Amino acid sequence: MRSLDVQLAERSYPIHIGPGLLQNSSLWRPLLPGRQVLVVCDDPVAGHYLQRVRAGLDGLDHASLVLPPGEQEKTLARFGEAIDALAGLRANRDACVIALGGGVVGDLAGFAAACWMRGIAFIQMPTTLLAMVDSSVGGKTAVDLPQGKNLVGAFHQPRAVIADTDTLATLPDRELRAGLAEVVKYGAIFDAGFLDWLDDHADALLARDADTLAEAILRSCRYKADVVARDETEQGERALLNFGHTFGHALETAGGYERFRHGEAVALGMVIAARLSAQLGRAPAADARRLSDLLARLGLPVEIPPGFDPAYLLQLMRLDKKALSGRLRLILWKQAGAAEIVAGVDEDAVLAALAA
């Protein structure tokens, strides 16, 4: 097991990464503040892993909420089901929600925990690579609206992140590749050397080599934990973690939350942001090509499919949470390993990048 901490003073919490952690209840059961627990997961995860977690809750008052899978299920209606489940459990202030699954479950269950009685404990148990390296860490919780992604939510930190790498064995190949997009993001914005490492280990990552995946997860979590410790509620530096996300979220919304996996949309968004940065003379074009080549090698999309209207994508981007006073703020590139927040980006240039 490999571990690190997210340093947030009295709200600091551990991230544990390794095999067999779900059934190791001695690791996470002491973190439960009371005797009431709601486990939230989706159908596929329930079939594989719910019983392992339930076995660790023996003797406690616990219930499960099993949802259909997919980003299209991260809605206010499903959030309402989680709240109803907590009410059915008669959950007190010392109850705990366990988010067992990918980013959709983590975001939705965490938001329910943030809202029930103005905030109760929750534990992230991510079962996808993307959730392990990104969405389970940092306390962002939310649900989507038809108008945009993650527009209703709250910052609410978990008590722990329990990343059982055994769960990656049942992860579909497409979901593994989608998770690798968020891993690449950390190299793109923080560490060009990590991009080199990913390029060298691309085949091992795609082959699910356990040690290589564990190292990628640990390094990704370390990058994110350090940023969250410095800027918990995204007042400045943490916004860099959204490299590619403004474009990516627009693509997800335009695709009805079904056309792309989140990581696929982020991969496309990073390529567009890198090309736009080069187009504006802010970054070398060679770096943009290198990023695109790495993402393509990892089996991720690097060109927007036909049928997406650039003007509509731009309209969706104006509702992005980083926009201020109706003007776009984008995360652009200086070079591989260095990003910046740029306000007032010319919309004609953005349209041109989308159209290209």
Side-chain angles (χ1 to χ4, degrees), residues 13-336:
Y13 56 92
I15 302 170
H16 298 302
I17 303 158
L21 301 189
L22 291 185
Q23 56 262 48
N24 183 10
S25 60
S26 62
L27 178 68
W28 49 264
R29 180 160 169 160
L31 299 171
L32 302 174
R35 298 189 55 79
Q36 296 173 311
V37 183
L38 174 67
V39 182
V40 181
C41 61
D42 66 25
D43 280 312
V45 169
H48 289 297
Y49 304 114
L50 179 56
Q51 190 52 43
R52 297 186 192 184
V53 175
R54 289 173 63 105
L57 300 174
D58 186 50
L60 301 179
D61 184 9
H62 61 91
S64 305
L65 174 64
V66 180
L67 301 172
E71 183 75 32
Q72 69 276 9
E73 301 297 335
K74 203 173 82 174
T75 63
L76 284 169
R78 296 298 185 192
F79 163 79
E81 291 183 29
I83 293 298
D84 286 343
L86 285 165
L89 190 62
R90 303 181 64 84
N92 298 314
R93 292 294 302 274
D94 63 352
C96 184
V97 175
I98 291 178
L100 175 66
V104 170
V105 164
D107 283 4
L108 188 152
F111 185 40
C115 294
W116 183 255
M117 293 190 174
R118 299 190 180 94
I120 61 172
F122 86 112
I123 293 174
Q124 289 273 20
M125 294 186 177
T127 61
T128 68
L129 179 60
L130 191 146
M132 289 180 187
V133 303
D134 185 60
S135 60
S136 67
V137 179
K140 280 188 176 181
T141 70
V143 295
D144 303 333
L145 299 180
Q147 297 89 339
K149 185 176 168 74
N150 294 333
L151 291 178
V152 183
F155 286 98
H156 188 55
Q157 300 293 344
R159 297 197 73 160
V161 178
I162 310 297
D164 186 339
T165 52
D166 282 346
T167 62
L168 299 180
T170 57
L171 192 65
D173 286 341
R174 186 178 178 186
E175 297 290 352
L176 181 78
R177 294 192 298 268
L180 288 172
E182 291 282 7
V183 176
V184 170
K185 176 192 73 178
Y186 293 111
I189 61 178
F190 291 133
D191 185 355
F194 190 37
L195 286 179
D196 293 334
W197 185 89
L198 291 170
D199 207 18
D200 291 341
H201 293 82
D203 292 340
L205 290 165
L206 291 172
R208 304 178 189 239
D209 178 77
D211 288 341
T212 307
L213 280 171
E215 180 65 18
I217 295 166
L218 179 69
R219 291 175 69 163
S220 298
C221 288
R222 185 175 291 128
Y223 290 123
K224 184 160 189 180
D226 288 346
V227 173
V228 170
R230 294 191 295 268
D231 180 21
E232 180 182 2
T233 58
E234 202 170 295
Q235 302 304 303
E237 181 188 9
R238 184 170 177 175
L240 295 175
L241 295 172
N242 292 303
F243 180 58
H245 284 59
T246 301
F247 293 104
H249 286 174
L251 286 162
E252 285 185 87
T253 304
Y257 303 115
E258 295 182 337
R259 183 72 179 271
F260 301 105
R261 299 295 190 267
H262 174 64
E264 293 169 342
V266 167
L268 279 167
M270 288 192 292
V271 171
I272 299 166
R275 290 175 179 171
L276 175 61
S277 301
Q279 174 187 323
L280 295 173
R282 308 184 76 98
D287 284 355
R289 289 192 295 271
R290 177 191 175 199
L291 177 65
S292 179
D293 289 347
L294 174 59
L295 291 167
R297 185 179 172 197
L298 293 170
L300 289 157
V302 294
E303 300 290 345
I304 299 176
F308 285 85
D309 177 18
Y312 180 53
L313 292 173
L314 179 60
Q315 176 186 327
L316 292 171
M317 289 169 64
R318 294 192 186 106
L319 199 57
D320 181 78
K321 296 182 293 301
K322 293 177 293 303
L324 293 176
S325 302
R327 302 194 70 193
L328 290 179
R329 282 198 310 157
L330 297 177
I331 313 304
L332 297 181
W333 237 8
K334 297 179 182 178
Q335 61 188 32

